[in-house]
Amino acid sequence: MNVRKVSVICPVFNEEKFIEECIMSIIEQDYPQDMMEVLFVDGRSTDKTREIIERYMRQYPFIKLLDNPERIVPYALNRGLEAAKGEVIMRLDGHCTYPTNYISELVRYLYQLNADNVGGVWNTQPAKDTPICQAIAQASSHPFGVGGSMHKIGASKIIETDTVPFGCYKREIFEKTGPFDIDLVRNQDDEFNGRLHNLGGKIYLIPQVIINYTARDTLCKMRKMYYQYGLYKPLVNKKLGAPATVRQFFPLVFLLLLIIGGTASIFSPFILHAYTTFLVLYLFIGIVVGSMSAIRMHQPLLVLLMPYVFFNIHMSYGIGYLVGIFNVLCNSSSKVTPNR
């Protein structure tokens, strides 16, 4: 296989806790360093993120730092694209670490499969060794929490899919698709991959390539993240002309069932019975999943914490989706800067 020049683009903002491990995992790649450039695009971090990157820049000339005054991910990605010199464009995240063969394997499969984009699977890890952080990590990688999102729950073989985390792209495809959409604080990868798919592009998930992703460390941060995922999904659907998947509607349906069912149950004993059964079934599934995780991880509190975390994920996404529909109908902007 020909060794191809790879441009790695990594948007960062206040990643002081994680950026050093991320950089080290990039430095330790088995890909030739003279065929790599790593572009960290910083949203004017207020912690020591820039300082840490600059320290490694002095030792490793293939590491570079760009400025992102807008502080929003798609702007960072597009600035990276403008500066990139590689034949392959790879997007990374400062919240993750990567196996030593991450770049070499994805580049190999990108051309072996004649794909336009390939990506790996998340191994979602708790931010801290506490019950609530363990519950957040477990719920964020379970089908009951995130549906059939294969890059989060895993796969047994290489599959063609609708999206992958971050992505490894042939440079030439950006001439067809254009850049990342700056209207999307979240879900810009989903929208871009949807655009790519609509143009006949092929996207593959490579399950043996594992990304160590650190989940959010508090329920508040997790709720905000899933709220934003839901918030921008209707706008993605509008831009693509159709929803990419059915699973995105489940949290919205769950929220509407809670609201409508709760209201209607006041007037009908039959609806009250159905509504109560629905809630008990939801709680039962959460407890069963929590119990399995509690046994596996030797953490009894997960039995109670995971149903609560599942509920927070579904409600946050559902509320965000509902607000997102309203924004799309009213042509309202909802740009916010996501916090880590």
Side-chain angles (χ1 to χ4, degrees):
M1 182 189 76
N2 293 331
V3 179
R4 305 170 192 274
K5 178 77 173 182
V6 175
S7 295
V8 174
I9 304 172
C10 186
V12 291
F13 175 71
N14 284 356
E15 291 287 6
E16 178 184 28
K17 294 179 182 178
F18 305 99
I19 193 63
E20 192 151 17
E21 288 187 17
C22 173
I23 293 173
M24 287 305 302
S25 74
I26 296 172
I27 290 171
E28 292 169 357
Q29 292 294 306
D30 60 14
Y31 206 79
Q33 290 186 353
D34 62 343
M35 295 299 288
M36 291 168 52
E37 63 173 352
V38 182
L39 308 173
F40 287 102
V41 191
D42 179 64
R44 299 187 173 177
S45 296
T46 56
D47 63 3
K48 294 183 180 179
T49 299
R50 293 180 72 96
E51 180 183 320
I52 293 169
I53 295 170
E54 288 167 351
R55 173 156 47 87
Y56 281 95
M57 284 172 59
R58 290 191 286 271
Q59 188 175 354
Y60 299 95
F62 65 89
I63 297 177
K64 301 174 184 178
L65 180 63
L66 305 178
D67 194 36
N68 177 29
E70 290 85 3
R71 307 175 86 177
I72 294 175
V73 170
Y75 282 97
L77 294 172
N78 291 340
R79 281 204 167 80
L81 281 174
E82 291 172 2
K85 299 180 176 65
E87 186 179 349
V88 174
I89 302 295
M90 184 174 289
R91 184 237 165 126
L92 297 188
D93 188 280
H95 221 64
C96 301
T97 59
Y98 307 88
T100 55
N101 64 348
Y102 183 78
I103 293 177
S104 59
E105 282 290 275
L106 289 187
V107 172
R108 178 168 75 89
Y109 279 109
L110 183 66
Y111 288 91
Q112 183 177 306
L113 296 169
N114 193 26
D116 297 287
N117 180 19
V118 293
V121 172
W122 276 355
N123 172 32
T124 305
Q125 301 177 324
K128 301 172 186 174
D129 190 22
T130 62
I132 189 61
C133 286
Q134 290 173 352
I136 291 171
Q138 289 293 306
S140 299
S141 56
H142 193 279
F144 188 61
V146 295
S149 186
M150 300 305 293
H151 70 271
K152 294 181 180 178
I153 66 175
S156 59
K157 61 181 181 179
I158 295 173
I159 56 171
E160 189 172 348
T161 185
D162 58 306
T163 190
V164 291
F166 314 142
C168 175
Y169 304 89
K170 292 175 180 174
R171 175 62 180 261
E172 63 206 47
I173 66 105
F174 290 93
E175 297 174 6
K176 301 176 184 177
T177 61
F180 289 88
D181 194 313
I182 58 174
D183 289 337
L184 298 167
V185 172
R186 296 284 187 191
N187 302 331
Q188 64 278 151
D189 290 332
D190 291 346
E191 187 277 336
F192 183 86
N193 287 324
R195 214 186 320 155
L196 175 59
H197 187 267
N198 288 345
L199 291 169
K202 300 294 185 180
I203 304 168
Y204 289 92
L205 183 73
I206 315 298
Q208 61 267 37
V209 177
I210 308 295
I211 304 162
N212 288 322
Y213 170 78
T214 303
R216 297 300 185 262
D217 59 354
T218 67
L219 276 173
C220 182
K221 291 179 182 178
M222 186 205 73
R223 280 193 293 260
K224 183 171 183 178
M225 181 180 70
Y226 279 100
Y227 173 82
Q228 290 177 354
Y229 283 150
L231 180 66
Y232 287 94
K233 206 65 175 178
L235 183 57
V236 170
N237 296 340
K238 178 183 178 182
K239 287 174 178 289
L240 294 177
T245 62
V246 175
R247 67 175 181 265
Q248 65 180 265
F249 295 111
F250 292 165
L252 175 63
V253 171
F254 175 71
L255 174 65
L256 294 177
L257 283 174
L258 286 182
I259 296 171
I260 297 171
T263 303
S265 63
I266 299 173
F267 306 102
S268 169
F270 174 78
I271 295 177
L272 175 60
H273 177 73
Y275 184 69
T276 305
T277 302
F278 167 72
L279 292 179
V280 170
L281 179 61
Y282 180 87
L283 181 61
F284 175 75
I285 294 172
I287 290 174
V288 169
V289 174
S291 299
M292 294 171 64
S293 296
I295 294 169
R296 186 175 64 253
M297 302 184 69
H298 308 288
Q299 178 51 263
L301 285 175
L302 293 181
V303 176
L304 298 177
L305 286 174
M306 284 191 64
Y308 181 62
V309 175
F310 283 135
F311 183 76
N312 276 266
I313 289 174
H314 297 150
M315 289 295 289
S316 299
Y317 191 104
I319 293 170
Y321 205 106
L322 199 60
V323 175
I325 291 173
F326 177 81
N327 287 341
V328 167
L329 293 175
C330 298
N331 292 316
S332 173
S333 174
S334 51
K335 283 189 181 180
V336 291
T337 303
N339 293 331
R340 285 295 185 186

